[in-house]
Amino acid sequence: MESASHPPPWWLTARSCDLPSGGFLQWTAFIFLSTCSLEALLSAASAGFLAAVLCLALRMLLLSRPTERCHDATTNGNADTPLLDMTDDPRPACAAHLAAAVLVANERRSRATTTFPLVLRLFWLTVPALTALLAATAVARVASGAAALPDDALSIAALVLSLPLPVLAFSSSTGITVNAADNDRAVDVAMDDEDVTPYAAASWLSRASWAWMNPLIRRGYRATLNISDVPSLAPQHRPERMHELFVSHWSSCGSCSSSGSGSRCARTLLRCFWPLVLANGVLALLRLAVMYVGPTLIQSFVAFTAAPERRPLWEGVRLVLALLAGKAAEALCSHQYNFQCQKLGMQVRGALITALYRKGLRLSCASRHRHGLGVIVNYMAVDAQQLADMMLQMHNLWLMPLQVFVALGMLYLYLGPPMMSALVGLLGVMAFIMLGNHRNNLYQFSLMRERDRRVKATSEMLSYMRVIKLQAWEEYFHARIARFRCLEFGWLSRFLYSNSCNMIILWSGPVLISALVFGTCVLVGVRLDAGLVFTATSFLKIPEEPMRSFPQSLIQVSEAMISLQRLDSYLTSAELDDGAVERESCDGRVAVLVRDGVFAWDDVEVLRGINLEIHGGALAAVVGMVGFGKSSLLGCILGETSRVSGKVKVCGSTAYVAQTAWIQSGTIEENIRFGQPMHRERYREAIRVCCLEKDLEMMEFSDQTEIGERGINLSGGQQQRIQLARAVYQDCDVWVVL
């Protein structure tokens, strides 16, 4: 690498603390930009913080043991604290950070306050500022060709590691809450669910080192784990809490989506989880920063081992320790990034599945017809899972280009202009991948459409299997599902072939780019030695993994975007109108009242001029021919039919008996009670009036007989009598029987 034409300023490369003889600008540059003065300021800040912590510790000790020697103890607390005479010694900074960690641990253990001490927050603001100046001078030296390795690399790494400190200083929250209501709630949660995951109460050190997993691993080492051995989720990570958070932001995002500014579901998820997304991005950035520590030290290792004279052993130890620290930080950031992304995906999936299920309970008839049962199951099983998987790949969209361009920038510092050949090869590979990704999006959308049609047809066939068998329609439905499978297989084949082409290009791309770079260096006459070749090879190997995983990231993000569109269309579907039926307490006279009602199915008016009045205690029957609107009229009373105009009033609660019996898996008693507490007299009366006594006498276990999918088969009349007994047991004010 050629040297710069203009030498760098003296204060940029000076390693001694000789005072300048110039004016004010020279003094300012020396104080805030020279390595010596910045190290002195860092040592002074660390020593001052240690003195303040010592004073705080002595004050707490004296307050706990009041004596008359309090003044003497505090005046001698920091008398021997060094300030400026240890500019090259890292021990004050290490001791200061260790004291800060001890102080934070003590605050969390004693739960004494909800905010960090002012001294600690000032220290966390001062150290990153001084470290930023020190890293800036290191970058300037590297750019000017006067790099001092490994000190400059360690300065940049120290800046990256100190970035979270200002955030903690400004937030000032220790995460401790002393609210009485919160304490009572925590006690209630602990009483309700004693076996909560240790992650909920783990310290930062335990979470960073996964020490909270040790009890479960120890238990699994001793014996085979059962489902009861696995602790439950923390209260703040459970689907109930995630659904509350999702619903609280859903309504505020309605105006944004109505103006056509994006996906409502995506905006809601972003508002719910943006702190976690940002934290994962910071972890990814830290991992990217420490990833380059190893390649930058290779040339120093080669120079140390190939030096003709014997160099001090301490230099080799420093290089090894720097490499070890960089790799340890890289491993920690990588594993924490993967864990936090998967945890975020779990929270997103929990929020979406709960919202999708509750939406299915409130769909209008038209929306329920458009989104069938099989499609709704696909939303929960496929689309929600794809959004959860995207959390791990989402940051790769900006990390991969950043990682590649940083590697190219470092290559330019070592190889010079021949690096441009790598940029040309990389742009060619990325252009091919972008075109392939656009093609994959089209294939994926068509694949999901055909999959929905197949699942819907399969669900319908399984639901009416008895009719199909009785009518001998097996061949027709088999051919129908086979046709859907053939179309789905065709789009899946196109998608996989296109994805294979992308994978071939990306896996062979790094090798071709390396050959292109070194071939260009040979052609232009760049001098290549062992240290330069090893360093350049290391920088070229760094983008290999992100380039290989980039197609998978693009695929998952494209699938997630399609899933967001599908979820938007479902979550914004029409719901039952809560105000369609007015509810009021029964006064003993009118139970059901309809005045000038006009009702519609799918925006098509089916009933007009409906006037109905049914008094309490009366038995009313609606008689008519098939297709004359009897079911639609009952749907008006239940609120299932869209009300165009008029008034509908129903007093008290309503019980509904459908034309097709619905039986849940469980005992007959559970089907009749349907979640209500047991009232023995009412239960016997419901069985008697619904003529279930003889049916129960015929069964071996009476009302404890298992029915439904896992139980015995019942006749149509028995199912209807159980369903009718369920409505009677609810003891409602109005019964609607279809």
Side-chain angles (χ1 to χ4, degrees):
M1 184 172 60
E2 297 180 0
S3 61
S5 57
H6 298 284
W10 65 271
W11 42 262
L12 191 62
T13 57
R15 307 295 295 178
S16 63
C17 291
D18 297 334
L19 298 179
S21 58
F24 175 75
L25 294 178
Q26 294 289 337
W27 274 90
T28 304
F30 172 75
I31 293 174
F32 293 104
L33 295 177
S34 70
T35 303
C36 176
S37 61
L38 287 175
E39 291 178 351
L41 290 174
L42 279 173
S43 299
S46 302
F49 174 70
L50 285 174
V53 171
L54 181 60
C55 291
L56 288 175
L58 290 175
R59 179 175 177 270
M60 294 175 61
L61 180 63
L62 293 175
L63 286 177
S64 61
R65 296 180 179 180
T67 61
E68 296 182 356
R69 293 177 297 172
C70 179
H71 178 73
D72 296 334
T74 55
T75 55
N76 296 329
N78 59 350
D80 298 328
T81 303
L83 291 179
L84 297 177
D85 57 346
M86 298 176 67
T87 57
D88 293 330
D89 196 345
R91 286 178 292 180
C94 297
H97 286 290
L98 181 61
V102 172
L103 185 60
V104 171
N106 179 70
E107 294 290 337
R108 292 187 63 87
R109 182 180 61 84
S110 61
R111 303 181 65 87
T113 179
T114 59
T115 58
F116 291 116
L118 180 61
V119 175
L120 181 61
R121 292 161 60 190
L122 291 177
F123 175 70
W124 281 347
L125 289 175
T126 305
V127 168
L130 296 176
T131 307
L133 291 175
L134 192 61
T137 59
V139 172
R141 280 193 296 271
V142 172
S144 62
L149 296 177
D151 293 341
D152 291 342
L154 292 177
S155 300
I156 298 173
L159 173 63
V160 175
L161 294 177
S162 64
L163 288 179
L165 296 181
V167 179
L168 295 175
F170 282 115
S171 65
S172 73
S173 176
T174 61
I176 300 172
T177 55
V178 294
N179 202 351
D182 293 339
N183 290 337
D184 295 340
R185 190 179 302 113
V187 172
D188 295 339
V189 169
M191 293 177 61
D192 295 338
D193 193 356
E194 297 180 356
D195 193 16
V196 180
T197 173
Y199 182 84
S203 63
W204 287 102
L205 182 60
S206 177
R207 293 185 180 186
S209 59
W210 283 277
W212 58 273
M213 285 286 295
N214 290 340
L216 183 63
I217 296 176
R218 194 178 302 114
R219 189 182 307 171
Y221 175 77
R222 294 171 181 170
T224 303
L225 290 177
N226 299 321
I227 189 63
S228 59
D229 296 328
V230 180
S232 59
L233 285 175
Q236 65 269 23
H237 297 152
R238 294 179 182 176
E240 299 90 346
R241 177 69 185 94
M242 297 299 102
H243 178 256
E244 293 175 3
L245 186 63
F246 185 84
V247 171
S248 64
H249 290 90
W250 176 259
S251 57
S252 61
C253 295
S255 58
C256 299
S257 62
S258 61
S259 59
S261 57
S263 170
R264 184 176 181 181
C265 185
R267 287 180 175 274
T268 304
L269 291 175
L270 184 61
R271 291 193 179 188
C272 292
F273 303 106
W274 70 265
L276 299 178
V277 174
L278 183 61
N280 292 342
V282 172
L283 279 175
L285 197 60
L286 290 175
R287 181 185 66 172
L288 177 63
V290 298
M291 193 179 295
Y292 291 95
V293 173
T296 55
L297 294 176
I298 288 180
Q299 202 162 16
S300 300
F301 273 104
V302 173
F304 179 81
T305 56
E309 68 280 0
R310 182 178 179 83
R311 303 180 66 173
L313 181 61
W314 171 242
E315 293 187 12
V317 173
R318 288 180 61 185
L319 290 175
V320 172
L321 292 178
L323 182 61
L324 179 62
K327 290 302 179 181
E330 180 183 351
L332 178 63
C333 293
S334 298
H335 292 296
Q336 284 291 339
Y337 171 74
N338 293 331
F339 173 74
Q340 296 297 333
C341 286
Q342 291 179 2
K343 188 185 76 172
L344 176 60
M346 178 196 68
Q347 294 175 278
V348 169
R349 184 173 178 269
L352 285 177
I353 288 181
T354 308
L356 292 172
Y357 180 80
R358 298 200 178 190
K359 179 71 176 183
L361 300 178
R362 299 195 48 79
L363 283 178
S364 65
C365 293
S367 301
R368 195 177 294 116
H369 179 73
R370 185 165 55 252
H371 304 280
L373 178 61
V375 178
I376 296 177
V377 171
N378 254 2
Y379 292 151
M380 297 183 184
V382 178
D383 295 291
Q385 185 62 45
Q386 284 181 350
L387 288 177
D389 295 338
M390 187 194 69
M391 297 298 110
L392 189 60
Q393 304 290 341
M394 179 174 55
H395 292 288
N396 289 342
L397 295 182
W398 61 271
L399 266 179
M400 185 266 178
L402 179 62
Q403 190 170 348
V404 169
F405 284 112
V406 169
L408 293 178
M410 300 298 291
L411 277 176
Y412 183 80
L413 294 176
Y414 286 92
L415 298 179
M419 181 275 308
M420 299 303 295
S421 59
L423 181 60
V424 172
L426 182 64
L427 292 178
V429 171
M430 296 308 298
F432 181 85
I433 295 303
M434 291 300 176
L435 294 176
N437 182 61
H438 177 69
R439 183 172 60 250
N440 287 343
N441 282 340
L442 300 178
Y443 293 161
Q444 181 69 19
F445 184 80
S446 301
L447 175 63
M448 296 297 291
R449 184 182 66 245
E450 297 300 332
R451 181 176 296 168
D452 286 343
R453 295 174 62 186
R454 177 182 60 82
V455 171
K456 182 179 179 181
T458 305
S459 300
E460 292 174 352
M461 183 191 68
L462 294 176
S463 300
Y464 300 98
M465 182 58 70
R466 179 174 300 177
V467 178
I468 293 173
K469 286 292 185 180
L470 292 175
Q471 299 294 333
W473 290 341
E474 296 93 336
E475 295 298 329
Y476 170 78
F477 280 93
H478 177 270
R480 184 167 178 258
I481 294 178
R483 184 168 63 253
F484 288 143
R485 289 179 62 88
C486 182
L487 292 174
E488 181 184 359
F489 180 77
W491 289 112
L492 180 62
S493 301
R494 296 186 184 94
F495 176 76
L496 292 178
Y497 281 130
S498 177
N499 187 33
S500 299
C501 293
N502 289 348
M503 294 296 292
I504 291 173
I505 295 299
L506 280 172
W507 277 81
S508 58
V511 178
L512 298 177
I513 292 175
S514 300
L516 184 63
V517 169
F518 288 117
T520 306
C521 291
V522 172
L523 290 177
V524 299
V526 175
R527 182 177 175 274
L528 299 175
D529 54 13
L532 190 59
V533 170
F534 284 146
T535 303
T537 304
S538 300
F539 282 125
L540 288 172
K541 287 183 67 67
I542 287 178
E544 285 187 11
E545 185 60 31
M547 286 180 64
R548 291 170 182 172
S549 62
F550 194 62
Q552 185 65 28
S553 303
L554 292 177
I555 291 169
Q556 290 197 356
V557 171
S558 63
E559 291 176 350
M561 297 305 295
I562 295 173
S563 297
L564 283 173
Q565 296 176 9
R566 289 156 50 86
L567 294 180
D568 271 337
S569 66
Y570 174 72
L571 292 174
T572 56
S573 299
E575 298 181 356
L576 297 175
D577 186 7
D578 294 332
V581 179
E582 300 178 10
R583 300 282 180 178
E584 61 180 22
S585 60
C586 293
D587 55 5
R589 291 181 300 172
V590 178
V592 178
L593 177 65
V594 181
R595 284 283 181 266
D596 301 326
V598 179
F599 304 94
W601 286 108
D602 294 343
D603 299 330
V604 178
E605 294 185 2
V606 293
L607 296 176
R608 302 182 187 87
I610 302 299
N611 291 279
L612 176 66
E613 183 175 332
I614 302 175
H615 294 275
L619 175 62
V622 181
V623 182
M625 297 181 65
V626 176
F628 269 56
K630 302 184 297 297
S631 301
S632 299
L633 179 60
L634 295 183
C636 305
I637 299 173
L638 296 172
E640 298 264 343
T641 308
S642 301
R643 186 189 64 175
V644 180
S645 62
K647 177 181 181 181
V648 180
K649 183 187 297 183
V650 177
C651 73
S653 57
T654 304
Y656 174 58
V657 180
Q659 186 174 5
T660 302
W662 181 82
I663 300 297
Q664 67 174 352
S665 296
T667 63
I668 295 177
E669 177 191 329
E670 292 172 350
N671 272 272
I672 295 176
R673 289 194 299 109
F674 203 61
Q676 295 292 326
M678 171 59 78
H679 296 281
R680 186 60 60 183
E681 293 299 327
R682 192 201 308 174
Y683 181 74
R684 291 197 191 98
E685 185 66 14
I687 291 177
R688 186 188 66 81
V689 299
C690 295
C691 301
L692 277 172
E693 294 173 333
K694 290 188 177 181
D695 294 324
L696 296 180
E697 291 175 359
M698 295 167 51
M699 298 178 184
E700 181 181 359
F701 300 103
S702 187
D703 61 349
Q704 298 302 313
T705 302
E706 193 84 12
I707 60 176
E709 295 180 358
R710 300 189 304 268
I712 66 173
N713 293 326
L714 300 177
S715 65
Q718 289 174 329
Q719 293 181 9
Q720 285 291 355
R721 286 192 288 275
I722 291 175
Q723 182 178 230
L724 188 61
R726 179 194 303 150
V728 172
Y729 185 78
Q730 303 303 310
D731 196 19
C732 296
D733 301 305
V734 178
W735 283 273
V736 179
V737 182
L738 185 59

